[in-house]
Amino acid sequence: MEFGPLPVAEAAGAMLAHSVRAGARRFAKGERLDAEGAAALAASGVQTVWVARPGPEDLGEDEAAALVAAPLAGPHLSLSAPFTGRVNLYAEAAGVIRVDAAALLAANRVDEAVTIATLPDFARVAPRAMLATVKIIPYAAPAAAARQAAALLSGAISLHPFRAMRATLILTRTEGMKPSLIDKGAAAILARLAALGVEAGEPVVTPHETGALSAALAAAEGDLLLILGGSATSDRRDVAPASVVEAGGRIDRFGMPVDPGNLLFTGVMGDRPVLGLPGCARSPKLNGADWALERIVAGLPVSGAEIEAMAVGGLLKEIPSRPQPREGAAPAGRPFVSALLLAAGSSSRMRGADKLLEPVGGAPLLRRTAEALLASRADEVVVVLRPGDEARRAALSGLGLRMVENPAAAEGMGASIRAGMAALAPEAEAALVALADMPEIGAKEIDSLLAAFDPEEGREIVRAASAAGEPGNPVLFGRRFFEALRGLEGDEGARAILAAHPDRVRLLPLAGRAARTDLDTPEDWEAWRALTA
């Protein structure tokens, strides 16, 4: 790849390595400079620009990122669309991930242009959590390097979902033990189980004696048995592990190189795992028992070798140089995006016809647009219709979306956005406002908009644009703009919001004029059909 300063007159077709202005117009870093843009820069007095120009053996950053990331997709895993050379891998279920460190190291050694970063091996993740990111560092990467890295990454990351299980928790009490301590321990363990989706009945409390505990174990039901002793276990022949053996089970491992959590033991009774919990499990803070329990519920082995390997990173106590994560801190994940499909217009310029019912590819345009949104990574689709519009409702029959009516449809687009915003799922973090009369917008284009959204990077509004950079639709708004969207009036849509926050808007060029193609008149339809025939 060529990189460096170039006279503006020679820069057409190259990508800008740094942002630059020509009067009021700003050319963004990474934007491909066309002849018109080069002329505008020259006219404003800019003589030299820093550019990147891929060579014949290179792939553009997005194409390279998509190629490298493709082998990471698998069961319960999904990939984002590429954006600025980045593709993210997300979890589609709660569970524990496994990471092949050797494969990751080999892939990262292929070429400095190709990087892959992941969460730690055995990390516990929630649905939508980001597990890994592929990033192409420059604006292009050698095609051979991208292919080589991709070949190394097949199966390098896997997600093991938490299984549906039933557990029995047995607590032992010693003489003089306060009932509040037993209750505290039970509450902490039951909360852990609930967070993993494990069902548990009423805890069983027995004296801290081998006979009583072994009887309770023998009578226990469920797929998983947990013991929280009233006195710490100090040897595999102590009361709790000895009770497992007396009840017909066996002890596989006593002790672990994790602190807190040293005094944990594992065993089995028949085909049911038994987990002897350390006293620190009475606290909700992370300890070695959490690691063991997560793996058991995820169906992963917890043998002696696996426990020994927990030593690296097993110092979990809070120390001045590494305090515990703040309570409530949330990991990065795939945002929940609601798509609003505005379909309450009157088609007044169609001279009696309904443009949203015009056939495109064998289906009404409205249905085609809705299907594109449903096929995208958007989490829900809300369609805003005119009151009593049964024809448009019928065009959407059988699709898994929600339809709401805009009683003030005659007021214009602002009222339709208000009606749609009122129907959003409460967990929505972004809203994609899409027009129903844009036949060239498909799931791929929608996913590109979603991939570009990143509030932390200042991309809180992502607006589709033509290949030439002309602003168009759809537009994706982050949560901070929800209140403003709910207050819109008239037929101007969200233009005022866009105008008031130019620093928060990222234009995303789409192929051709997809973002600018809307068909309002019979003549528009005729011309468009002639072009696409």
Side-chain angles (χ1 to χ4, degrees):
M1 182 183 73
E2 300 175 24
F3 186 91
L6 202 64
V8 169
E10 302 174 20
M15 290 177 290
L16 291 171
H18 307 293
S19 298
V20 62
R21 285 191 176 275
R25 182 176 175 185
R26 179 179 180 271
F27 293 84
K29 172 185 175 181
E31 181 178 343
R32 190 174 294 277
L33 189 65
D34 58 17
E36 180 186 350
L41 287 172
S44 69
V46 177
Q47 298 180 355
T48 303
V49 288
W50 281 75
V51 300
R53 197 189 303 270
E57 302 300 321
D58 292 333
L59 294 176
E61 58 180 351
D62 284 352
E63 186 179 0
L67 174 59
V68 173
L72 295 175
H76 316 294
L77 301 171
S78 64
L79 294 169
S80 72
F83 180 72
T84 60
R86 184 185 301 278
V87 173
N88 296 326
L89 180 72
Y90 294 105
E92 296 300 317
V96 173
I97 68 165
R98 293 301 323 273
V99 179
D100 185 338
L104 264 292
L105 178 59
N108 276 295
R109 283 177 170 168
V110 168
D111 191 286
E112 64 183 14
V114 179
T115 67
I116 309 98
T118 76
L119 292 183
D121 193 18
F122 290 110
R124 171 181 171 178
V125 298
R128 314 178 75 87
M130 186 191 301
L131 310 182
T133 185
V134 172
K135 182 69 173 78
I136 304 302
I137 300 298
Y139 296 99
R147 287 192 291 269
Q148 184 181 349
L152 293 165
L153 291 175
S154 180
I157 301 175
S158 58
L159 175 62
H160 301 263
F162 293 132
R163 302 171 296 168
M165 299 184 75
R166 294 177 300 109
T168 293
L169 170 61
I170 302 174
L171 303 101
T172 68
R173 63 171 183 270
T174 57
E175 187 175 352
M177 187 176 186
K178 293 182 179 180
S180 61
L181 189 60
I182 294 177
D183 293 341
K184 177 184 177 181
I189 304 306
L190 292 177
R192 283 183 166 88
L193 294 172
L196 297 173
V198 177
E199 295 182 8
E202 188 70 21
V204 177
V205 180
T206 73
H208 190 71
E209 300 169 355
T210 302
L213 180 53
S214 63
L217 286 165
E221 298 179 348
D223 312 301
L224 169 64
L225 306 180
L226 301 155
I227 304 169
L228 181 59
S231 178
T233 300
S234 55
D235 189 273
R236 64 168 46 238
R237 292 159 294 190
D238 209 338
V239 171
S243 298
V244 174
V245 174
E246 184 171 304
R250 73 168 189 268
I251 301 302
D252 292 328
R253 172 81 188 197
F254 170 66
M256 68 189 314
V258 179
D259 189 15
N262 294 137
L263 300 182
L264 173 140
F265 69 85
T266 64
V268 293
M269 286 189 60
D271 58 356
R272 297 182 296 173
V274 178
L275 196 59
L277 301 168
C280 59
R282 289 187 173 85
S283 165
K285 290 185 177 181
L286 180 67
N287 63 79
D290 289 297
W291 285 3
L293 184 58
E294 289 163 5
R295 296 190 194 186
I296 290 172
V297 180
L300 292 168
V302 190
S303 68
E306 273 79 26
I307 291 177
E308 289 157 9
M310 294 178 184
V312 177
L315 179 56
L316 303 180
K317 281 187 175 179
E318 183 173 349
I319 57 178
S321 62
R322 195 206 66 234
Q324 293 287 345
R326 291 173 299 179
E327 186 175 355
R334 180 166 61 87
F336 189 105
V337 179
S338 299
L340 302 185
L341 182 57
L342 306 184
S346 63
S347 293
S348 58
R349 300 169 61 191
M350 285 292 291
R351 297 195 286 276
D354 187 341
K355 64 180 179 180
L356 299 190
L357 300 182
E358 287 288 313
V360 177
L365 173 59
L366 175 58
R367 187 178 186 90
R368 178 188 176 96
T369 309
E371 288 176 336
L373 290 170
L374 290 167
S376 76
R377 301 281 293 168
D379 294 284
E380 67 167 352
V381 178
V382 177
V383 183
V384 183
L385 297 170
R386 299 176 296 190
D389 196 331
E390 297 304 321
R392 291 183 183 178
R393 280 185 175 273
L396 298 168
S397 64
L399 300 180
L401 45 71
R402 288 190 289 129
M403 290 178 265
V404 298
E405 291 187 348
N406 173 18
E411 181 183 322
M413 188 181 296
S416 287
I417 294 175
R418 284 203 317 267
M421 292 299 298
L424 288 193
E427 61 267 37
E429 298 170 73
L432 178 82
V433 180
L435 307 183
D437 59 347
M438 302 188 71
E440 296 181 17
I441 298 294
K444 179 180 178 181
E445 288 73 24
I446 299 300
D447 287 344
S448 295
L449 288 162
L450 270 58
F453 177 69
D454 190 337
E456 291 186 3
E457 296 291 331
R459 300 192 297 271
E460 295 184 83
I461 301 176
V462 183
R463 186 174 189 182
S466 70
E470 304 163 292
N473 287 288
V475 185
L476 182 68
F477 295 90
R479 179 187 284 274
R480 69 176 292 181
F481 300 104
F482 281 12
E483 184 176 353
L485 290 167
R486 293 187 181 111
L488 290 176
E489 297 179 355
D491 197 33
E492 288 298 302
R495 292 179 188 173
I497 298 174
L498 296 170
H501 302 279
D503 57 326
R504 299 288 177 179
V505 179
R506 175 64 182 259
L507 290 181
L508 181 66
L510 303 178
R513 293 186 58 80
R516 301 276 294 180
T517 300
D518 55 347
L519 308 175
D520 294 326
T521 68
E523 290 76 20
D524 291 341
W525 277 95
E526 183 179 356
W528 180 76
R529 285 181 170 130
L531 286 173
T532 57

